[in-house]
Amino acid sequence: MKLSPVGVLVVALGGLVAIIMWIVGYFGLPNAVTHRNLAENPPIESSINATGGTAGGAAPAAPGGGTQAQAAWYALGKDPKSLDLTITAQAGNNPMNFNGYGKGDLKIQVPVGWKVNVKFVNQQGQVPHSVGFVQWADRQSPTGQFTPAFNGSTGPEDKFKSGVTSEGESFSFTADKAGQYAMVCGVPGHAAAGMWDEFDVDAKLTSPVIVTPDKGTVTVK
Ligand SMILES: [Cu+2]
């Protein structure tokens, strides 16, 4: 193959021009334009923030929990040494739950002598449920025979046994005796089907504690 002298010259000149342009560009133009100095310039900010929401807008509450903050169902009460609990029979795959937990997955622990204010909410339409705090040995009673753990700790007897639907109910009791107890649904068969969790009264505690498999141990302060 015979190379044309003109062609060789054009290719050589082209290469030379490219090298000159690179040298001019590298040394001639201001450094801030051609080279991003990562040590001096802050990194480019992403419009996506760490919690998954978009910057500048409030992240929507995640239904069913997740890592985003949601209103807690437990809080210290107005009076000293009192705990407010909102216990909800949640709608979902497993109807036999309190706040999503059953079969002892949820553990509520309070110091001896604390007052517990219970608000029960049933989100399951026409399936009746209730809540009461009973002896530990009764936690899976198939007959619905339960012995209240404390005075008034199952609320109104008729509502505890037959359950309530959408209206819910409220009651208070004082956890005046240390021990291991159970929080159950009083509708016959429900506790046996898993609608029970643990309620402990502990002389060593100074604040209530909530223990769950997904959120760990939380001290109510
Ligand atoms: Cu129930």
Side-chain angles (χ1 to χ4, degrees), residues 13-190:
L13 278 175
L16 193 65
V17 167
I19 289 168
I20 290 167
M21 285 175 70
W22 183 85
I23 290 170
V24 168
Y26 193 94
F27 295 103
L29 293 174
N31 185 267
V33 174
T34 55
H35 321 294
R36 183 176 168 80
N37 186 338
L38 291 176
E40 288 179 9
N41 300 342
I44 296 168
E45 286 194 28
S46 168
S47 63
I48 307 296
N49 67 30
T51 57
T54 51
T67 56
Q68 289 173 349
Q70 57 179 356
W73 50 264
Y74 47 82
L76 293 181
K78 283 197 313 287
D79 300 330
K81 297 190 173 184
S82 70
L83 174 67
D84 290 352
L85 295 176
T86 302
I87 304 296
T88 303
Q90 290 182 352
N93 291 337
N94 177 13
M96 301 299 160
N97 75 84
F98 292 120
N99 298 331
Y101 306 102
K103 295 184 177 168
D105 278 349
L106 164 64
K107 209 186 278 190
I108 300 170
Q109 301 177 313
V110 301
V112 176
W114 276 52
K115 188 182 178 194
V116 181
N117 305 309
V118 183
K119 182 176 178 230
F120 178 67
V121 179
N122 186 355
Q123 289 182 340
Q124 294 178 25
Q126 294 309 303
V127 182
H129 292 293
S130 65
V131 71
F133 297 76
V134 303
Q135 297 297 328
W136 176 249
D138 294 345
R139 66 194 180 281
Q140 294 184 86
S141 166
T143 60
Q145 296 301 310
F146 299 103
T147 306
F150 314 97
N151 191 18
S153 65
T154 55
E157 184 64 18
D158 55 332
K159 287 189 174 180
F160 179 60
K161 272 211 166 7
S162 56
V164 296
T165 49
S166 53
E167 78 267 32
E169 62 168 333
S170 296
F171 59 91
S172 297
F173 65 91
T174 300
D176 53 9
K177 203 158 80 239
Q180 184 183 37
Y181 304 97
M183 178 171 79
V184 300
C185 175
V187 176
H190 285 198

